[in-house]
Amino acid sequence: MKFSFSGRPLLAVSMGATVLAGCVSSAAIVPQPRAQQQQQQAVRGPAGAVTVPIGQPVRSQMPRPSGPVDPGFGRAPAGLNDRIFELWRAFPGKTGIAVQRIDGEWSLSQRGAELFPQQSVSKLWVTLSVLDAVDQGRMTLDQRVRIGPEDLVVFHQPLAARVRSEGSVTMSVRDLIETAITHSDNLANDSLLRTVGGPNAVRAFITKKDLGSIRFGPGERLLQAGTAGLTWQQSYSVGRNFEGARAALPAATRQAAMNNYLANPVDGASPSAIASALTRLARGTLLSPKSTEYLQGVLGRTKSGPRRLKAGLPPGWQFMHKTGTGQNLGGMTAGYNDIGIATAPDGTRYAIVVMMGSTTASIPARMALMQSVSSAVAEYHGK
């Protein structure tokens, strides 16, 4: 089997997992001494997010793995470390990968400490914040939420058709969670965000739970407008008005806005922080037992991204996950992600995170990388 990145053929299969080779990413780096890596650890701000000067990217510091990546964890299977490194090195663009054994004691990553655009991955933090409010008695899953034309957003929002035809709709928090997570509906997610208290409420949850290098942006409308170089207007939520306004911008304006977003994403998160959060969710330390079970069930019903990480797992494995996909500019996508919890037939669980900060690789090639990562995790399970 062959894959092609940027028109160049890439090599095929090794030991049961697809290994992509033949094109070295600009993400590849020179290994550094351990002491130097420690000196370059990201600095956490008061909200627990990695802080860097506006307009400056977080620099890579992850060398070829030679043992445990994160202090306090045991050693991952040596072959898996090497396999993940080779996959990461060969893929064109800025890519972050993190794997953590939930029922065990090890983790590994490449560019695991850097910030990557989350896009719809951030819907997970909204739902976690809502369920935490439910656990605290401040909300209920049966609480009703009205959604009108003034609430419409951009891009993927199937719920908008009902709002336009009916004038407004009222849905339970439970139904909004199901719609936001399983169908990645932006309107359902923003409605939950508004109901739980806005972006500051989600940031407060992230801080309270000490989730580390995870930022939460300003909401779908402002995030997407800012990434495109626009100032949000509610008229952009109608038809293809947003795309039209974006296309009318000077190319330099769009490129500058995209560059600023990629250099310092307002919704950025590190792969290792996300893997840790997934681990804590699976272990039941983020939410009540009832909310934990409920959310994992919802994540298990996700419809988006069936050919991403999920497709690399063998029969008998289960996967609960959340995807995220950003805007395109000049053949480059800003944010192409999948994060989730894989469960082996024997019940052992792994948090798997693959985030593409920027890549020009074809969509099949992106999915092939994700499948190769999850396939490698399954191959080395039990070794």
Side-chain angles (χ1 to χ4, degrees), residues 146-359:
R146 180 192 176 277
I147 307 168
E150 70 277 8
D151 301 313
L152 298 182
V153 292
V154 289
F155 300 143
H156 189 66
Q157 50 174 341
L159 182 56
R162 281 188 57 197
V163 175
R164 294 189 183 105
S165 65
E166 301 175 26
S168 67
V169 299
T170 302
M171 296 176 64
S172 70
V173 167
R174 187 192 314 273
D175 288 342
L176 286 172
I177 289 174
E178 186 79 20
T179 305
I181 296 295
T182 66
H183 295 280
S184 204
D185 190 302
N186 291 339
L187 177 54
N189 186 69
D190 261 27
S191 299
L192 287 170
L193 177 60
R194 181 178 70 252
T195 303
V196 80
N200 284 339
V202 179
R203 294 170 190 144
F205 171 81
I206 291 170
T207 300
K208 179 178 75 171
K209 297 296 183 177
D210 193 24
L211 297 186
S213 301
I214 296 173
R215 292 174 173 175
F216 188 79
E220 197 69 31
R221 291 178 283 194
L222 297 182
L223 172 66
Q224 300 303 341
T227 302
L230 294 167
T231 299
W232 175 257
Q233 300 177 29
Q234 190 57 31
S235 62
Y236 291 160
S237 67
V238 178
R240 296 188 61 81
N241 287 352
F242 181 90
E243 290 82 352
R246 183 178 62 182
L249 288 172
T253 300
R254 286 200 63 193
Q255 191 64 62
M258 180 67 78
N259 290 345
N260 288 338
Y261 173 62
L262 291 174
N264 197 20
V266 294
D267 66 335
S270 75
S272 290
I274 292 177
S276 177
L278 290 172
T279 295
R280 292 175 61 187
L281 172 64
R283 290 177 176 174
T285 61
L286 287 183
L287 300 171
S288 70
K290 183 177 181 180
S291 291
T292 298
E293 181 180 6
Y294 167 72
L295 178 53
Q296 291 187 88
V298 174
L299 290 168
R301 294 189 290 275
T302 292
K303 308 296 183 185
S304 60
R307 301 299 300 168
R308 298 189 191 189
L309 287 171
K310 185 176 183 178
L313 294 170
W317 284 66
Q318 297 178 344
F319 194 56
M320 56 187 76
H321 66 129
K322 186 69 199 76
T323 58
T325 305
Q327 296 184 49
N328 298 308
L329 179 61
M332 185 276 300
T333 301
Y336 193 87
N337 312 317
D338 199 9
I339 71 163
I341 298 170
T343 304
D346 65 4
T348 303
R349 298 167 297 176
Y350 299 88
I352 308 176
V353 176
V354 177
M355 306 183 78
M356 301 174 187
S358 59
T359 183

Side-chain angles (χ1 to χ4, degrees), residues 67-81:
V69 175
D70 299 317
F73 288 88
R75 187 178 298 271
L80 180 59
N81 263 310

Side-chain angles (χ1 to χ4, degrees), residues 51-89:
T51 57
V52 294
I54 296 297
Q56 294 185 18
V58 183
R59 300 295 182 185
S60 172
Q61 74 259 13
M62 301 304 293
R64 180 173 184 136
S66 58
V69 175
D70 299 317
F73 288 88
R75 187 178 298 271
L80 180 59
N81 263 310
D82 292 341
R83 179 76 61 78
I84 295 299
F85 173 77
E86 293 300 335
L87 291 168
W88 168 81
R89 182 178 64 172

